[in-house]
Short mmCIF file of all heavy atoms in Angstrom, two decimals:
data_model
loop_
_atom_site.label_atom_id
_atom_site.label_comp_id
_atom_site.label_asym_id
_atom_site.label_seq_id
_atom_site.Cartn_x
_atom_site.Cartn_y
_atom_site.Cartn_z
N ALA A 1 87.57 2.48 175.28
CA ALA A 1 88.64 3.40 174.89
C ALA A 1 88.17 4.80 174.92
O ALA A 1 86.97 5.09 175.18
CB ALA A 1 89.20 2.96 173.56
N GLY A 2 89.12 5.71 174.70
CA GLY A 2 88.75 7.14 174.61
C GLY A 2 89.50 7.71 173.40
O GLY A 2 89.47 7.15 172.34
N HIS A 3 90.13 8.90 173.60
CA HIS A 3 91.03 9.55 172.65
C HIS A 3 90.28 10.21 171.47
O HIS A 3 90.54 11.36 171.18
CB HIS A 3 92.01 8.50 172.14
CG HIS A 3 93.28 9.08 171.52
ND1 HIS A 3 94.02 10.03 172.13
CD2 HIS A 3 93.87 8.88 170.30
CE1 HIS A 3 95.05 10.34 171.36
NE2 HIS A 3 94.97 9.66 170.28
N LEU A 4 89.43 9.46 170.79
CA LEU A 4 88.66 10.04 169.66
C LEU A 4 87.44 10.72 170.28
O LEU A 4 86.51 10.06 170.73
CB LEU A 4 88.19 8.93 168.72
CG LEU A 4 87.35 9.38 167.51
CD1 LEU A 4 88.13 10.31 166.61
CD2 LEU A 4 86.81 8.18 166.77
N HIS A 5 87.47 12.05 170.22
CA HIS A 5 86.48 12.83 171.00
C HIS A 5 85.01 12.65 170.49
O HIS A 5 84.04 12.85 171.22
CB HIS A 5 86.86 14.30 171.02
CG HIS A 5 88.06 14.59 171.80
ND1 HIS A 5 88.43 15.85 172.17
CD2 HIS A 5 88.97 13.76 172.32
CE1 HIS A 5 89.51 15.83 172.88
NE2 HIS A 5 89.87 14.55 173.00
N ASP A 6 84.86 12.28 169.23
CA ASP A 6 83.51 12.04 168.68
C ASP A 6 82.98 10.65 169.09
O ASP A 6 81.78 10.39 168.88
CB ASP A 6 83.54 12.12 167.14
CG ASP A 6 83.71 13.57 166.70
OD1 ASP A 6 83.46 14.48 167.45
OD2 ASP A 6 84.12 13.79 165.53
N GLY A 7 83.79 9.81 169.62
CA GLY A 7 83.38 8.48 170.01
C GLY A 7 83.21 7.51 168.85
O GLY A 7 83.29 7.92 167.67
N GLY A 8 82.93 6.26 169.15
CA GLY A 8 82.73 5.25 168.14
C GLY A 8 82.31 3.97 168.73
O GLY A 8 82.43 3.74 169.95
N TYR A 9 81.84 3.04 167.91
CA TYR A 9 81.39 1.74 168.41
C TYR A 9 81.38 0.73 167.28
O TYR A 9 81.04 1.07 166.09
CB TYR A 9 79.99 1.81 168.97
CG TYR A 9 79.38 0.44 169.28
CD1 TYR A 9 79.75 -0.30 170.40
CD2 TYR A 9 78.54 -0.17 168.34
CE1 TYR A 9 79.27 -1.58 170.63
CE2 TYR A 9 78.05 -1.45 168.55
CZ TYR A 9 78.41 -2.14 169.71
OH TYR A 9 77.96 -3.41 169.92
N CYS A 10 81.71 -0.51 167.58
CA CYS A 10 81.48 -1.65 166.69
C CYS A 10 81.39 -2.91 167.49
O CYS A 10 81.93 -3.05 168.61
CB CYS A 10 82.58 -1.75 165.59
SG CYS A 10 84.11 -2.48 166.15
N LEU A 11 80.72 -3.92 166.91
CA LEU A 11 80.75 -5.29 167.43
C LEU A 11 81.55 -6.04 166.39
O LEU A 11 81.17 -6.18 165.22
CB LEU A 11 79.28 -5.82 167.47
CG LEU A 11 79.16 -7.26 167.99
CD1 LEU A 11 79.62 -7.40 169.41
CD2 LEU A 11 77.70 -7.77 167.83
N ASP A 12 82.71 -6.56 166.83
CA ASP A 12 83.63 -7.12 165.87
C ASP A 12 83.22 -8.57 165.50
O ASP A 12 82.30 -9.12 165.98
CB ASP A 12 85.06 -7.03 166.33
CG ASP A 12 85.48 -7.98 167.46
OD1 ASP A 12 84.81 -9.00 167.66
OD2 ASP A 12 86.49 -7.70 168.11
N SER A 13 84.01 -9.15 164.62
CA SER A 13 83.69 -10.48 164.03
C SER A 13 83.77 -11.62 165.06
O SER A 13 83.27 -12.71 164.83
CB SER A 13 84.68 -10.78 162.87
OG SER A 13 86.01 -10.74 163.35
N HIS A 14 84.39 -11.33 166.22
CA HIS A 14 84.49 -12.32 167.29
C HIS A 14 83.45 -12.07 168.41
O HIS A 14 83.55 -12.68 169.47
CB HIS A 14 85.91 -12.33 167.85
CG HIS A 14 86.94 -12.95 166.95
ND1 HIS A 14 87.28 -12.33 165.76
CD2 HIS A 14 87.64 -14.07 167.05
CE1 HIS A 14 88.22 -13.11 165.17
NE2 HIS A 14 88.43 -14.19 165.96
N GLY A 15 82.55 -11.12 168.17
CA GLY A 15 81.54 -10.84 169.18
C GLY A 15 81.97 -9.91 170.32
O GLY A 15 81.34 -9.88 171.33
N VAL A 16 83.10 -9.26 170.15
CA VAL A 16 83.59 -8.28 171.16
C VAL A 16 83.08 -6.91 170.86
O VAL A 16 83.21 -6.40 169.74
CB VAL A 16 85.11 -8.30 171.22
CG1 VAL A 16 85.64 -7.31 172.24
CG2 VAL A 16 85.64 -9.73 171.47
N HIS A 17 82.49 -6.26 171.87
CA HIS A 17 82.09 -4.88 171.74
C HIS A 17 83.26 -3.95 171.89
O HIS A 17 84.09 -4.13 172.83
CB HIS A 17 81.04 -4.54 172.84
CG HIS A 17 79.79 -5.34 172.76
ND1 HIS A 17 78.73 -4.98 171.98
CD2 HIS A 17 79.42 -6.45 173.43
CE1 HIS A 17 77.76 -5.86 172.15
NE2 HIS A 17 78.16 -6.78 173.02
N HIS A 18 83.43 -2.95 171.00
CA HIS A 18 84.44 -1.95 171.06
C HIS A 18 83.76 -0.60 171.21
O HIS A 18 83.12 -0.13 170.26
CB HIS A 18 85.35 -1.97 169.88
CG HIS A 18 86.17 -3.22 169.76
ND1 HIS A 18 87.49 -3.30 170.15
CD2 HIS A 18 85.83 -4.44 169.29
CE1 HIS A 18 87.92 -4.52 169.93
NE2 HIS A 18 86.96 -5.25 169.39
N LEU A 19 83.88 0.01 172.38
CA LEU A 19 83.17 1.26 172.63
C LEU A 19 84.20 2.37 172.89
O LEU A 19 85.01 2.25 173.82
CB LEU A 19 82.27 1.13 173.85
CG LEU A 19 81.51 2.38 174.31
CD1 LEU A 19 80.60 2.90 173.21
CD2 LEU A 19 80.71 2.13 175.56
N THR A 20 84.19 3.39 172.06
CA THR A 20 85.08 4.52 172.23
C THR A 20 84.20 5.67 172.80
O THR A 20 83.28 6.12 172.09
CB THR A 20 85.71 4.92 170.92
OG1 THR A 20 86.45 3.82 170.35
CG2 THR A 20 86.66 6.14 171.08
N LEU A 21 84.47 6.06 174.00
CA LEU A 21 83.63 7.02 174.66
C LEU A 21 83.91 8.45 174.19
O LEU A 21 85.05 8.84 173.94
CB LEU A 21 83.85 6.94 176.19
CG LEU A 21 83.39 5.64 176.79
CD1 LEU A 21 84.03 5.45 178.16
CD2 LEU A 21 81.88 5.56 176.93
N GLU A 22 82.85 9.22 174.06
CA GLU A 22 82.95 10.60 173.63
C GLU A 22 83.84 11.40 174.63
O GLU A 22 83.86 11.11 175.83
CB GLU A 22 81.58 11.25 173.49
CG GLU A 22 80.71 10.67 172.42
CD GLU A 22 79.87 9.49 172.86
OE1 GLU A 22 80.16 8.94 173.99
OE2 GLU A 22 79.02 9.03 172.11
N GLY A 23 84.54 12.42 174.11
CA GLY A 23 85.41 13.22 174.97
C GLY A 23 84.66 14.20 175.84
O GLY A 23 84.11 15.13 175.33
N VAL A 24 84.68 13.94 177.13
CA VAL A 24 83.99 14.92 178.04
C VAL A 24 84.71 16.25 178.17
O VAL A 24 84.11 17.22 178.63
CB VAL A 24 83.76 14.29 179.42
CG1 VAL A 24 82.89 13.05 179.35
CG2 VAL A 24 85.14 13.99 180.08
N ILE A 25 85.93 16.28 177.65
CA ILE A 25 86.69 17.53 177.70
C ILE A 25 86.03 18.64 176.88
O ILE A 25 86.25 19.85 177.13
CB ILE A 25 88.15 17.30 177.22
CG1 ILE A 25 89.06 18.48 177.58
CG2 ILE A 25 88.18 17.03 175.68
CD1 ILE A 25 90.54 18.24 177.31
N GLU A 26 85.20 18.28 175.93
CA GLU A 26 84.51 19.25 175.09
C GLU A 26 83.12 19.67 175.63
O GLU A 26 82.40 20.34 174.96
CB GLU A 26 84.40 18.70 173.64
CG GLU A 26 85.77 18.53 173.00
CD GLU A 26 85.66 18.05 171.59
OE1 GLU A 26 84.57 18.11 171.00
OE2 GLU A 26 86.69 17.69 171.01
N THR A 27 82.78 19.17 176.84
CA THR A 27 81.52 19.57 177.44
C THR A 27 81.57 21.02 177.87
O THR A 27 82.52 21.43 178.52
CB THR A 27 81.29 18.70 178.66
OG1 THR A 27 81.27 17.31 178.25
CG2 THR A 27 79.92 18.96 179.29
N PRO A 28 80.54 21.82 177.53
CA PRO A 28 80.51 23.21 177.98
C PRO A 28 80.63 23.35 179.46
O PRO A 28 80.11 22.50 180.22
CB PRO A 28 79.18 23.74 177.44
CG PRO A 28 78.86 22.81 176.31
CD PRO A 28 79.40 21.48 176.71
N PRO A 29 81.27 24.38 180.00
CA PRO A 29 81.52 24.53 181.43
C PRO A 29 80.23 24.53 182.26
O PRO A 29 80.22 24.05 183.43
CB PRO A 29 82.24 25.92 181.54
CG PRO A 29 82.83 26.12 180.23
CD PRO A 29 81.95 25.48 179.23
N GLU A 30 79.14 25.03 181.73
CA GLU A 30 77.92 25.13 182.51
C GLU A 30 77.14 23.83 182.54
O GLU A 30 76.06 23.76 183.11
CB GLU A 30 77.04 26.28 182.01
CG GLU A 30 76.47 26.09 180.64
CD GLU A 30 77.41 26.42 179.52
OE1 GLU A 30 78.57 26.77 179.80
OE2 GLU A 30 76.97 26.39 178.32
N SER A 31 77.58 22.79 181.83
CA SER A 31 76.86 21.53 181.78
C SER A 31 77.65 20.40 182.43
O SER A 31 78.62 20.69 183.08
CB SER A 31 76.49 21.20 180.32
OG SER A 31 77.68 21.02 179.59
N ASN A 32 77.19 19.19 182.19
CA ASN A 32 77.86 18.04 182.88
C ASN A 32 77.86 16.87 181.90
O ASN A 32 76.99 16.74 181.04
CB ASN A 32 77.06 17.71 184.16
CG ASN A 32 77.85 16.88 185.13
OD1 ASN A 32 78.99 16.53 184.84
ND2 ASN A 32 77.30 16.58 186.25
N ALA A 33 78.86 16.03 182.04
CA ALA A 33 78.93 14.84 181.17
C ALA A 33 79.64 13.68 181.97
O ALA A 33 80.67 13.92 182.56
CB ALA A 33 79.69 15.11 179.88
N PHE A 34 79.03 12.56 181.97
CA PHE A 34 79.61 11.36 182.59
C PHE A 34 78.84 10.15 182.15
O PHE A 34 77.77 10.25 181.55
CB PHE A 34 79.62 11.48 184.15
CG PHE A 34 78.25 11.55 184.73
CD1 PHE A 34 77.59 10.36 185.12
CD2 PHE A 34 77.66 12.74 185.02
CE1 PHE A 34 76.32 10.40 185.67
CE2 PHE A 34 76.40 12.85 185.60
CZ PHE A 34 75.73 11.64 185.93
N GLY A 35 79.41 9.02 182.42
CA GLY A 35 78.72 7.76 182.09
C GLY A 35 78.89 6.78 183.22
O GLY A 35 79.90 6.77 183.94
N THR A 36 77.84 5.94 183.43
CA THR A 36 77.90 4.85 184.42
C THR A 36 77.62 3.56 183.68
O THR A 36 76.67 3.44 182.93
CB THR A 36 76.86 5.10 185.49
OG1 THR A 36 77.08 6.36 186.16
CG2 THR A 36 76.93 3.98 186.57
N ILE A 37 78.50 2.58 183.89
CA ILE A 37 78.28 1.27 183.25
C ILE A 37 77.77 0.27 184.35
O ILE A 37 78.36 0.12 185.41
CB ILE A 37 79.54 0.71 182.63
CG1 ILE A 37 79.95 1.59 181.40
CG2 ILE A 37 79.42 -0.73 182.23
CD1 ILE A 37 81.14 1.14 180.72
N TYR A 38 76.66 -0.34 184.03
CA TYR A 38 76.05 -1.36 184.90
C TYR A 38 76.40 -2.74 184.27
O TYR A 38 76.20 -2.94 183.08
CB TYR A 38 74.54 -1.17 184.92
CG TYR A 38 74.19 0.13 185.56
CD1 TYR A 38 74.02 1.30 184.76
CD2 TYR A 38 73.95 0.30 186.95
CE1 TYR A 38 73.66 2.51 185.32
CE2 TYR A 38 73.62 1.53 187.49
CZ TYR A 38 73.49 2.62 186.69
OH TYR A 38 73.17 3.82 187.27
#
């Protein structure tokens, strides 16, 4: 998921990972932000 710019994570009671990705919209213009999932 996204939306929450600070991000978040939990492993729930059923063993499902919930990953809220940090908001790249707040990345300074002179830098870069991205993620790759393998």
Side-chain angles (χ1 to χ4, degrees):
H3 200 51
L4 178 65
H5 291 192
D6 289 339
Y9 169 80
C10 78
L11 179 65
D12 74 20
S13 59
H14 288 66
V16 179
H17 298 274
H18 294 262
L19 177 62
T20 304
L21 295 161
E22 295 87 349
V24 298
I25 194 172
E26 296 182 11
T27 303
E30 67 277 5
S31 63
N32 200 358
F34 62 89
T36 303
I37 291 183
Y38 298 88

